[in-house]
Amino acid sequence: MFSFVRSNFSAAMKQQFGAAARAMSTKNLYVGNLSWQVTNNELSSLFAKYGRVQSARVILANDTGRSRGFGFVEMDESEASKAMEALNGTEFKGRNLKISEGINKERRQPRQPRSFNNGENDSGNPSF
């Protein structure tokens, strides 16, 4: 019984701290101006020439499921810098890639709350 508890605890600790360690040593790259035909695997293969790709995903529109023309690639910091330098501005599937450092969700500024007051400002007058 104790070995079961110990192994589950150990696995949970590895998962929690392993993710934190990966987050500290990885860089998230924004890849813009992608062709709509590019797949996750193709994006991963393109960046794999410069090092180990931890994740690569093309962002899809919720309503149509088609590519939105950009994606994100996560790699080791030094490898990501090399890939960004080498691939930014290069042609891939007929489009010139625009690559920059992506913003991690933790660093992103929170959104401002939306106002749902039927187009009226605080004084009760319509705002045009």
Side-chain angles (χ1 to χ4, degrees), residues 62-73:
N62 290 335
D63 54 345
T64 64
R66 290 182 57 187
S67 169
R68 293 187 59 196
F70 68 94
F72 294 93
V73 175

Side-chain angles (χ1 to χ4, degrees), residues 43-110:
L43 186 60
S44 180
S45 295
L46 177 67
F47 280 80
K49 298 171 189 170
Y50 301 94
R52 190 169 86 73
V53 174
Q54 292 186 5
S55 69
R57 63 194 188 308
V58 175
I59 304 303
L60 305 176
N62 290 335
D63 54 345
T64 64
R66 290 182 57 187
S67 169
R68 293 187 59 196
F70 68 94
F72 294 93
V73 175
E74 190 175 9
M75 301 176 73
D76 177 70
E77 282 188 49
S78 62
E79 294 169 343
S81 296
K82 290 176 193 173
M84 183 169 49
E85 192 174 306
L87 293 173
N88 189 32
T90 61
E91 187 269 332
F92 182 63
K93 298 233 175 201
R95 307 286 300 262
N96 290 336
L97 298 177
K98 299 192 183 326
I99 303 171
S100 61
E101 187 173 341
I103 298 174
N104 291 334
K105 290 182 181 180
E106 296 82 33
R107 290 185 8 210
R108 186 173 58 192
Q109 296 294 323

